[in-house]
Structure formats: structure tokens, C-alpha cells
Amino acid sequence: MSSFSTSLSSSSPFLSNHSSLINSDPSRRSLSFPQGINLDDLCVRSQRKLVQSSVAVGDGFGFCTILRLFLMRLPLVLGAVITKSSSAEIKTEPLSIPSQEADKLVIESNGGEQQSTVSITVVGASGDLAKKKIFPALFALYYEGCLPEHFTIYGYARSKMTDAELRDMVSKTLTCRIDKRENCGEKMEEFLKRCFYHTGQYDSQEHFVTLDKKLKEHEGGRLSNRLFYLSIPPNIFVDAVKCASSSASSVSGWTRVIVEKPFGRDSKTSAALTKSLKQYLEEDQIFRIDHYLGKELVENLSVLRFSNLIFEPLWSRQYIQNVQFIFSEDFGTEGRGGYFDHYGIIRDIMQNHLLQILALFAMETPVSLVAEDIRNEKVKVLRSMRPIQLEDVVIGQYKSTTKGGVTYPGYTDDKTVPKDSLTPTFAAAALFIDNARWDGVPFLMKAGKALHTRSAEIRVQFRHVPGNLYNRNSGGTNLDRTTNELVIRVQPDEGIYLKINNKVPGLGMRLDQSNLNLLYSARYSKEIPDAYERLLLDAIEGERRLFIRSDELDAAWALFTPLLKEIEEKKTIPEFYPYGSRGPVGAHYLAAKHNVQWGDLSLDQ
Ligand code: NDP
Ligand code: BG6
């Protein structure tokens, strides 16, 4: 039985935050509302949430319009007189306010004693991920006005640190939005004042009891919601959850736990971890994070596919020849060799990040955008996948190389890695989905460290035009050069482009391949939020869409466990490749075996 209290979706801090924003300048009020909401100041996130529920058309359509429409419904619950904005002309379905959220809004707008608060405890606050990603993401949310009015952040770890030392540590990694930079220093100071530290062991009930007392002091009798972010090595996840659950969970609001990967090493260990976590938590309190799902372009994948008529009809074996999911880093495992050697690139990147993207890419249209509907479709894809054959996999490991007088270390030069380690730092694989939509289409994955470039992308290569009239005008007989390719560049330089055949201007008839190009930095002035920002906010709001459900995890492990076991049992020797190269040659043969060329390595990528 779980000792955590059940999640209360009603206490969305998203709403509580907004209702507390007061517009002091009457000229900017477009609605009469008890406390006056400044429509322009709202967390940009609310735009996403509200827009999800409506279809917007036209330039003049903005978030404020949606919000006004939303607020038009408020009299129903607030009994307040709200005047209709003249600008609310866009045709859209009015949004309905879930009754629980509305109740919450009433409490908040009354300034009642039962205001809610969120306490976020970063367990493992002294570590790399906390410094690099979690605290900066929390600050970014604060900076954007996305955190509720009342919130407290606690760092928890064994290292001895004072609040001031934590603040000092955290302050070194905070940055402000390049596109805003308003009152940045001031906001950092305000944010840091909300950060505290508690020294404790991960398996000490007593230390979590003390944490609980401190959290209560900050919560000051408000309805308390608590989020624990487990940013610690996996072997201590269960200890920490046990202590947090029995000694520091919320008694009045929700308690949620974000769990970082790795979620086990194979089906068995993953199932054991899930079982242990479920001794203390309900499934809906567990937020298994895969930060690739929080990346902007990955989020956009479904938008691209399901809201553009031109793509969905092409999204099948009929038009798509192959799909490629490519991850490459131009640095090695520096600093993380100890962790990495136990896992390897297949567990570190493929079984989670790339497979999650594949599932989103290949799933059938979900019934709705509700988390369970999407996750149901993803699970179906994962369960339709053909077992991966070792012959369809290439593994590699980077070796030391010297370039321009600089020597780059090999993987086994890392002191934390055994000299005879066979752990792959590179892998390429051909996967297949045995369903009606994707029968026979190779889904190629490639992931590697210490390669020539850093990038993550999805490449969709289309079939040849049958009986193409222009074959002779395309400069040769290589049909692969004339097929269309849709590239979704997840990072860096986020963008989407479509390779098309085009007539080279002039009197002759010569075709080349050109790109219809959507480069985000050219189109949107807004800085792209870090994946951790989106996911942290989702966890606070109780939005589970981008987190991994336990059956998804089981299906992902069921696919990769036999392969990993075979590689390890056979002690398969990885193909060595020089640091900074394009990876093992074997990856090209693998692609060729399936009549594919890696798009990222072609001359005109
Ligand atoms: P760290 O190794 O930096 O560990 C975090 C903290 O946990 C440390 O500061 C330390 O705090 C405590 N800790 C470390 N080892 C032990 C141990 N053996 N026993 C008890 N406590 C220990 O991890 P990261 O911050 O790099 O990662 C945290 C989690 O996030 C891990 O699960 C990792 O796999 C995952 N992750 C990390 C990524 C990254 O880029 N770093 C990326 C994706 C996932 P103290 O000694 O003060 O208690
Ligand atoms: C993590 C892996 O999950 O993702 C790391 O453990 C990898 O090995 C990292 O470096 C890559 O994330 P990003 O967001 O920097 O591409």
C-alpha cells in the first residue's frame, strides 16, 4: 500500500500562479476580474496548455484571446461580472474549466487560508545533473513566471552544505533568457532566496523527518504539494523513495516523484525497480523522465504529423522507404565512465531516447492528446516490434587518436573504465515494426559518443517517384539522390527541412535537390526552453504525457534485453573507431544491407 497521498489534480499550481498575478495598470485590463489578471505576464506555458484545447487561425489570434475566452467562462464559477473583450472575435470552441481547477481558483482568488504551495526537493542536489540541468531549469521556470506564487526548493544530499553554499553553487549555473534579460540579477536573487539545503542520508527516516519539518515551516499551513526529484544513482532510488514516502510526503496535497534513468539494466532489474517503487508509490505518482521527450522538436513531431494534412497520408510503408534516428556526440564519456561502463550506449541512448522518439513517430493517431491515450498508442508500437537480430546490429568503441597535435583519449583510457572493457560507445541497429502501417520499413538507429559532430535528428527517406520523367535530368542514375527526405533536426540548430527536387533556374532542364527549410532561429525569436523545464513543469502540473509509463518501459526492455544479453554473453568485440571520426564502417554495411544510406553522412545532407 502506498503511503503517499493520492495525487490531486485539482490543485494545479498553474492556475494558482495565474490567479495571483495582479495587473496594477487599469489601462491594460481587458476584463474586469476580481484581482485583475495581467494577460501579458502569464507563464508562456499556459499558452500551450490552453491552445491544446482549441484550434486557432489567423494572425490576430493570440494567447490573450484564448485566455479571454477562457475567462469568459469564469462568471459561472466566480459569480463575477466579466465584460466581453471586443477583440475576442476569433471563432473557437470556448474552453471548459475543470470544476476542481475552478474550485481551486476560487480559493486562490479569495486569498483564503487554503492557498497551495509546491515544495520541490532535489535529492542528490550536490551532483552533476542537479547543477547542470535541474536548478537552471527551475530558475528558468521561475523567470518565466511558471512556478506558483508559493514555492520552496530544497536541495538534499549527504554533502555538508549551508543554504548559502547551495545558493552559491547553484548561482554559478543560472542563466537568463537571451531574448529577455529583464531584471535578471534581481530575479536570480529572488529565486535563490527560495532555495534551501538539507544535509541527510538517502536511507535515513530521521533525516527525512527533519526535512519534512523544514518543508512544513516553509509551507506555512498552505495546502502542500510536494515534488521529489531523484537525481541520484539508481542503486539508492528505492531507499530515498521509501524515506521520502514515509517521512516527508504531503498530507494535504499531492506528492510526486521524478525518477531519472537508468530504470534498470534489463527487463528483470527494471521490473524489480518498478515493483520496489510501487511499494511506496502509486503509478500515477511516478514520473519516469526521458529528457528527449521534453525537447522542442520531439514535442513538435506529433504536431507536424497530425496537424498537417500533407504529412499524415504519407506516413506509412506506402511512401516511406526508411526512417533514421541519429544521435551523435563529439565528446566521449569524460567524467561519467564509471556509470557508462555498466550500461553502454544501447542502454544509455537507444533503449530510451531513440526508442521513445521512434514510438512517437510510428504510433497510430491517439484518441486525444490526453496522456493515457498517447501512451497507449506508444505501447502498441513497442509491442509490435520485431525482436532485434544481432546481425542487424553494429557496435563500436572509440579509441585514442591524435589530430593537429592534440591527443584525444580512447574510451578505455578513462581511469574508471576497465582496460579490457567491451562496452559499446557506438551502436547502429535496424529495427522493424510488424504492423500494417510499417511492415518491411527499416527503422535505423545510430548512436555514438566521440564522433565528428554533435547532433540528434530524425530522417525520413521517401520512396522513389515511380516512372520519374525527370530521372535523366537529375544528374546521374543514382536514384537515392533524387528521393525526398524530411529531416527533423532535434539539436543543435533546431529545424525541419524537406529535400525536394527542383529545376535549376535557366533555359535548360536540370534538376537539383534543394531544401524547403524551417530553421527555428530564423523563424522564431524566442529562445527554445530546455527539455528539463518542460518536464519539470509537466510534473508540477501533473501532466504525464511525456513521462514513461511502466508498461511502456517493460515493452522497451522486452525489445532490447535479448539483444543485450546476446552481445554480453558472446562477448562481442566492438569495432574500434577513432575519436572524432564518423564511427565504424560496419554501420554503412548495415545500412546498405537494408538498401539505405545514412542521411547524415551523405554529401548533400
Ligand atoms: P552523481 O554521480 O553526480 O550523483 C548525484 C549525487 O548523488 C552526488 O552528488 C552524491 O551526493 C550522491 N551520490 C553519488 N554516488 C553515490 C553513492 N554511491 N551512494 C550514495 N550517494 C551517492 O549523478 P548525476 O548528477 O550525474 O546523475 C543523477 C541521476 O541522473 C543518475 O541517476 C543519472 O544516471 C541520471 N542522469 C544524469 C545525467 C547527467 O548528465 N549527469 C543525464 C541523464 C541522467 P552526496 O555525496 O552529496 O550525497
Ligand atoms: C543522457 C545520457 O541521457 O543524455 C548521456 O546519459 C548523454 O550519455 C545525454 O550525453 C545527452 O543529452 P543531450 O540533451 O545533451 O543531448
Side-chain angles (χ1 to χ4, degrees):
M1 257 266 296
S2 162
S3 42
F4 269 117
S5 58
T6 312
S7 308
L8 297 177
S9 59
S10 57
S11 25
S12 166
F14 156 72
L15 278 173
S16 63
N17 188 25
H18 300 161
S19 58
S20 64
L21 287 166
I22 297 178
N23 179 8
S24 52
D25 177 2
S27 65
R28 298 179 74 197
R29 284 185 204 160
S30 51
L31 298 161
S32 76
F33 178 67
Q35 290 192 334
I37 292 179
N38 179 349
L39 298 178
D40 298 328
D41 286 349
L42 296 179
C43 164
V44 71
R45 169 51 173 280
S46 50
Q47 301 179 28
R48 191 172 81 93
K49 289 214 75 160
L50 291 173
V51 168
Q52 266 178 14
S53 320
S54 65
V55 176
V57 184
D59 270 345
F61 189 90
F63 164 60
C64 295
T65 313
I66 302 171
L67 188 74
R68 282 179 193 115
L69 289 163
F70 168 79
L71 291 175
M72 282 159 61
R73 301 287 300 250
L74 282 183
L76 300 175
V77 289
L78 296 180
V81 179
I82 296 179
T83 52
K84 189 174 172 181
S85 162
S86 59
S87 65
E89 290 158 354
I90 304 298
K91 291 178 190 67
T92 180
E93 283 299 305
L95 297 155
S96 61
I97 313 162
S99 60
Q100 296 151 320
E101 293 196 345
D103 290 348
K104 178 81 187 352
L105 195 58
V106 174
I107 293 168
E108 295 284 334
S109 66
N110 287 343
E113 282 165 27
Q114 286 198 54
Q115 278 185 327
S116 70
T117 177
V118 175
S119 301
I120 302 161
T121 304
V122 182
V123 183
S126 55
D128 181 57
L129 187 73
K131 277 183 261 189
K132 224 169 50 184
K133 293 289 182 184
I134 305 171
F135 283 106
L138 287 169
F139 172 61
L141 291 177
Y142 175 72
Y143 190 72
E144 293 282 348
C146 293
L147 290 183
E149 186 185 353
H150 297 286
F151 74 93
T152 306
I153 296 172
Y154 253 89
Y156 185 104
R158 297 171 307 176
S159 304
K160 295 227 174 320
M161 238 192 282
T162 60
D163 291 344
E165 282 164 342
L166 173 87
R167 287 170 190 161
D168 186 46
M169 181 191 90
V170 168
S171 67
K172 295 195 173 95
T173 55
L174 302 187
T175 51
C176 290
R177 288 266 183 263
I178 298 166
D179 56 346
K180 285 197 176 169
R181 289 204 190 282
E182 298 145 15
N183 315 321
C184 185
E186 226 173 82
K187 286 193 177 168
M188 270 189 198
E189 256 178 55
E190 286 164 16
F191 172 79
L192 290 169
K193 276 190 207 151
R194 310 274 199 106
C195 296
F196 303 87
Y197 185 76
H198 182 62
T199 306
Q201 298 292 328
Y202 302 108
D203 58 356
S204 163
Q205 297 284 1
E206 193 192 330
H207 295 166
F208 275 88
V209 167
T210 323
L211 172 72
D212 181 61
K213 279 190 193 138
K214 289 185 175 175
L215 293 180
K216 279 196 179 116
E217 278 168 29
H218 289 281
E219 289 164 355
R222 295 181 185 89
L223 182 116
S224 97
N225 296 312
R226 292 188 181 174
L227 178 66
F228 291 87
Y229 195 128
L230 300 191
S231 182
I232 44 179
N235 57 318
I236 47 176
F237 282 171
V238 179
D239 284 342
V241 163
K242 182 179 174 187
C243 293
S245 112
S246 32
S247 305
S249 63
S250 165
V251 287
S252 55
W254 51 254
T255 301
R256 296 177 188 145
V257 179
I258 299 182
V259 186
E260 261 295 348
K261 63 179 263 266
F263 314 118
R265 284 189 82 244
D266 51 26
S267 291
K268 204 170 145 200
T269 49
S270 168
L273 175 65
T274 300
K275 194 172 167 207
S276 303
L277 292 177
K278 286 190 179 175
Q279 279 182 275
Y280 308 106
L281 301 167
E282 301 292 345
E283 174 65 24
D284 71 357
Q285 293 178 280
I286 307 172
F287 287 68
R288 295 179 194 82
I289 198 166
D290 183 313
H291 75 282
Y292 264 66
L293 291 183
K295 295 205 184 248
E296 187 63 41
L297 273 279
V298 176
E299 259 265 84
N300 193 45
L301 196 53
S302 299
V303 177
L304 190 71
R305 188 178 156 196
F306 297 123
S307 76
N308 292 291
L309 185 66
I310 58 165
F311 291 121
E312 183 52 22
L314 305 182
W315 223 255
S316 75
R317 64 191 299 278
Q318 211 178 340
Y319 295 102
I320 292 179
Q321 202 272 338
N322 73 86
V323 189
Q324 304 175 12
F325 301 92
I326 300 169
F327 167 95
S328 81
E329 277 182 342
D330 55 1
F331 50 89
T333 57
E334 291 97 355
R336 292 186 78 216
Y339 149 81
F340 192 87
D341 201 60
H342 195 49
Y343 290 92
I345 199 79
I346 297 178
R347 291 184 179 91
D348 192 46
I349 304 293
M350 278 189 172
Q351 181 271 351
N352 37 62
H353 303 329
L354 297 189
L355 189 62
Q356 282 297 320
I357 301 177
L358 180 151
L360 272 180
F361 180 96
M363 69 182 181
E364 296 299 315
T365 312
V367 174
S368 77
L369 292 176
V370 167
E372 298 323 319
D373 289 335
I374 293 174
R375 299 197 291 187
N376 288 345
E377 293 308 327
K378 282 168 66 196
V379 173
K380 282 190 212 160
V381 173
L382 296 176
R383 292 181 55 197
S384 305
M385 296 194 72
R386 194 186 299 172
I388 308 169
Q389 304 302 313
L390 190 56
E391 306 83 79
D392 276 335
V393 176
V394 171
I395 57 171
Q397 189 186 86
Y398 65 90
K399 59 178 189 187
S400 169
T401 190
T402 302
K403 245 193 246 164
V406 181
T407 299
Y408 297 89
Y411 174 64
T412 52
D413 293 332
D414 185 328
K415 288 196 179 61
T416 57
V417 172
K419 283 278 166 254
D420 57 354
S421 171
L422 296 179
T423 301
T425 58
F426 175 99
L431 294 89
F432 292 88
I433 305 171
D434 284 335
N435 66 13
R437 185 184 284 267
W438 297 116
D439 190 12
V441 176
F443 283 79
L444 294 190
M445 282 186 182
K446 185 165 72 164
K449 298 218 170 233
L451 293 172
H452 72 297
T453 185
R454 175 178 175 261
S455 78
E457 54 189 30
I458 306 163
R459 287 179 172 262
V460 188
Q461 296 185 343
F462 291 88
R463 294 193 183 279
H464 300 128
V465 174
N468 190 342
L469 292 174
Y470 291 99
N471 270 348
R472 285 202 305 179
N473 307 88
S474 299
T477 50
N478 184 355
L479 291 181
D480 288 325
R481 296 201 55 203
T482 65
T483 56
N484 297 118
E485 186 173 20
L486 174 68
V487 182
I488 297 161
R489 199 165 47 222
V490 177
Q491 66 187 28
D493 305 327
E494 290 84 350
I496 301 170
Y497 58 93
L498 179 65
K499 286 193 198 173
I500 56 157
N501 297 306
N502 201 51
K503 180 181 171 301
V504 177
L507 297 178
M509 177 54 75
R510 195 162 62 81
L511 270 58
D512 74 355
Q513 274 226 320
S514 297
N515 292 344
L516 295 179
N517 199 353
L518 168 60
L519 181 62
Y520 272 43
S521 60
R523 173 67 181 90
Y524 303 106
S525 56
K526 198 149 179 56
E527 198 178 326
I528 294 178
D530 187 78
Y532 283 85
E533 293 172 36
R534 189 187 313 279
L535 295 169
L536 270 160
L537 188 53
D538 274 349
I540 293 171
E541 291 181 351
E543 168 61 79
R544 292 171 182 80
R545 196 166 43 92
L546 300 178
F547 293 89
I548 320 288
R549 208 168 60 185
S550 67
D551 55 345
E552 277 187 83
L553 184 60
D554 294 345
W557 276 123
L559 181 64
F560 275 97
T561 298
L563 171 75
L564 288 160
K565 205 165 161 232
E566 198 177 347
I567 291 175
E568 282 156 12
E569 277 176 4
K570 289 190 172 156
K571 295 194 187 315
T572 311
I573 297 178
E575 196 179 321
F576 294 101
Y577 61 96
Y579 193 120
S581 68
R582 288 165 192 265
V585 182
H588 296 276
Y589 291 120
L590 174 68
K593 180 178 155 193
H594 296 285
N595 291 323
V596 176
Q597 286 185 5
W598 290 107
D600 62 323
L601 300 181
S602 77
L603 292 176
D604 49 355
Q605 11 167 336

